[in-house]
Amino acid sequence: MSVQAIVSSGPKVMRVAVVGVGLVGSEFINQLLNFPTPNPFRIVTLTSSKTTLHAPDGLNITPDSWKQSLAQASLRPDFPFLLRELAALVKPGEPVVLVDNTSSNAVAALYPQFLRSGVHVITPNKKAFSAELSLYESIVSASLASGAKFLNEATVGAGLPIISTLKDLVATGDQVLKIEGVFSGTMSYIFNEFSTGQEGGPSFSSVVKVAREKGYTEPHPADDLNGADVARKLTILSRCIPSLRSSLPDGYQSVSTKSLVPQELEGIDTGDEFIARLPEFDDHFNKMRADAAKENQVLRFAGVIDVASGTIKADLEKYPVTHPFATALGGSDNIVMFYTARYGARPLVVQGAGAGAAVTAMGVMSDLLKLV
């Protein structure tokens, strides 16, 4: 199918370039194409890891046709080309948006250049906002210089309003005292199943194995169990708090993080071998569960940002069986509690599905709607 340009109509047109067409990217594209009329969005670019479709006035695609059109495209991904093309489209009243649905470091590193050119950036990609402080500061300064915005709600909690809630608290003058939450859908599922307040239960290795089979973990479960995902999310949130913005010079690597990967398994190359050997360490995890149960507590992998002390940590913590982290969570839910001067005695709580393509794409879509 050939790609034909279509002339945009209507008073408000937003040109959207979508990079990354995996699970989240595909869901986002379909949400965009199915947006109720009048649809202000014109998809001008689709880029996969192999091919690119581009038409400055909008691609002639439908929910049923875009995958085939992209697969047959002759253009190869070329980000300098994309930057030049999108920058040329920026005009007063006609915003241009780059939506990065990848997890690529290379794309994240280009955000300052897109922003400096006046192109807005929306993304669920955690890399840019949790890396070294210098990249984050480049993003902020580029945004301030051009007026182009960067929005990244879906980097923490998928479609849950976690970043926007924190930004609203800060912008309205509330004093954020502490943020505490179960930020990883994978870790949430594992410990909801493993630690229920009883001394016994399924083995840790069997729970991780099932989580992997259900698609809750990365192909290599160590990528979840090392706590880096939670550390990245804590970095992103801490940089929304003025007094902590510069506290993590090396990004997520500056966060105090407890890895649950046994030291003996740290060099295991494949997920299959990791799963095969994890039962060797079940006694260790069983003892932790039993010790917590004797104290009427459960184990949860939580993230904490304590503003007063400057403590930012991701660790396996014990909570009373009556705590919301024990009673309110199910499946792969996230839950985040904001303790502030206004919400002191009873924290502001955001809770719900924290993983999945549909809700993550919704978070991306909600950011896009903020620009309309």
Side-chain angles (χ1 to χ4, degrees), residues 26 46 137 163 218 288 329 337 341 367:
S26 295
L46 292 180
E137 289 184 332
I163 291 176
E218 296 293 333
M288 287 197 294
L329 287 173
M337 308 173 81
D367 274 348

Side-chain angles (χ1 to χ4, degrees), residues 51-306:
T51 57
T52 293
L53 280 174
H54 179 73
D57 288 315
L59 297 170
N60 184 18
I61 53 175
T62 67
D64 295 325
S65 72
W66 70 263
K67 288 186 179 181
Q68 183 180 4
S69 297
L70 181 59
Q72 295 175 347
S74 57
L75 282 177
R76 294 292 174 259
D78 182 341
F79 289 105
F81 164 82
L82 184 61
L83 178 61
R84 290 193 304 272
E85 288 292 315
L86 296 185
L89 293 175
V90 176
K91 296 170 187 170
E94 295 186 14
V96 180
V97 188
L98 173 74
V99 178
D100 173 24
N101 291 312
T102 74
S103 59
S104 165
N105 282 304
V107 180
L110 296 173
Y111 293 173
Q113 294 182 51
F114 281 99
L115 290 164
R116 207 169 287 118
S117 300
V119 177
H120 303 288
V121 174
I122 292 173
T123 184
N125 184 350
K126 292 183 279 289
K127 299 295 174 61
F129 307 99
S130 60
E132 65 277 4
L133 184 61
S134 58
L135 176 56
Y136 180 74
E137 289 184 332
S138 295
I139 289 169
V140 173
S141 62
S143 174
L144 289 172
S146 70
K149 295 180 180 178
F150 62 91
L151 296 165
N152 60 330
E153 183 70 77
T155 57
V156 181
L160 295 177
I162 294 173
I163 291 176
S164 56
T165 296
L166 176 57
K167 286 183 175 179
D168 286 346
L169 291 169
V170 171
T172 57
D174 201 353
Q175 181 185 3
V176 179
L177 305 174
K178 186 169 84 166
I179 302 171
E180 187 171 21
V182 174
F183 290 95
S184 164
T186 303
M187 293 290 210
S188 179
Y189 173 83
I190 288 171
F191 285 99
N192 290 341
E193 296 293 312
F194 177 69
S195 179
T196 62
Q198 305 297 317
E199 289 191 34
S203 67
F204 185 76
S205 63
S206 70
V207 172
V208 173
K209 184 172 184 288
V210 171
R212 185 176 185 239
E213 290 166 354
K214 288 178 177 284
Y216 288 151
T217 75
E218 296 293 333
H220 198 318
D223 293 336
D224 296 292
L225 295 177
N226 64 14
D229 177 67
V230 176
R232 286 188 182 277
K233 292 170 181 175
L234 293 174
T235 303
I236 292 166
L237 291 178
S238 70
R239 287 175 172 170
C240 297
I241 301 171
S243 65
L244 297 180
R245 178 172 152 179
S246 302
S247 63
L248 300 172
D250 295 320
Y252 79 99
Q253 293 182 335
S254 297
V255 175
S256 174
T257 306
K258 168 73 171 178
S259 173
L260 299 185
V261 178
Q263 190 172 357
E264 296 87 340
L265 301 188
E266 285 181 355
I268 299 295
D269 288 333
T270 69
D272 288 343
E273 186 183 352
F274 183 88
I275 287 293
R277 289 199 54 193
L278 193 57
E280 297 171 24
F281 305 91
D282 279 338
D283 288 347
H284 167 69
F285 289 102
N286 287 342
K287 184 178 186 306
M288 287 197 294
R289 173 174 59 190
D291 289 346
K294 287 173 184 174
E295 300 169 14
N296 217 23
Q297 294 184 319
V298 298
L299 299 170
R300 294 293 182 265
F301 196 90
V304 178
I305 299 172
D306 189 311

